Amino acid sequence: MQPAAARPVTKLKLPDGFSSAMIADDLGKTRHLAITPKGDIYVKLGAQKDGKTILMLTQSGDKATVKNSFGDYEGTGIFIQRWLSICFF
């Protein structure tokens, strides 16, 4: 498997004026993403990874790293309410 930076992101079909980049890799079975106005990235996994189902990433340059993980419950959604608390359903 190629490192994330070496793999092209070409399978996405985006409208004119939009672009994509792979900033994180090997997170697990990702189901949902939510991004706060501050740029924090919350990832809801479809299955536990290291006993957790929610990852919090921060981006620096063209890479994002996992800064925290929590929760061990299943669910199919992620919602950041008022940009302060996270609700899962």
Side-chain angles (χ1 to χ4, degrees):
M1 181 182 263
Q2 294 177 322
R7 278 185 276 174
V9 185
T10 58
K11 292 184 180 182
L12 295 175
K13 294 186 183 205
L14 301 171
D16 290 340
F18 285 80
S19 64
S20 67
M22 187 176 299
I23 60 170
D25 198 11
D26 297 324
L27 298 176
K29 197 173 190 180
T30 302
R31 294 204 37 141
H32 303 280
L33 297 171
I35 303 171
T36 69
K38 292 182 180 180
D40 294 326
I41 305 165
Y42 289 90
V43 177
K44 175 66 174 88
L45 301 176
Q48 288 187 10
K49 182 175 181 181
D50 299 326
K52 305 297 179 192
T53 56
I54 300 137
L55 307 176
M56 185 266 206
L57 293 80
T58 56
Q59 185 174 347
S60 177
D62 63 350
K63 300 286 180 203
T65 56
V66 177
K67 293 295 180 184
N68 196 4
S69 61
F70 53 95
D72 60 359
Y73 41 87
E74 295 183 19
T76 58
I78 183 171
F79 175 71
I80 299 177
Q81 186 177 23
R82 294 190 183 145
W83 309 111
L84 298 172
S85 61
I86 304 168
C87 302
F88 301 94
F89 48 93

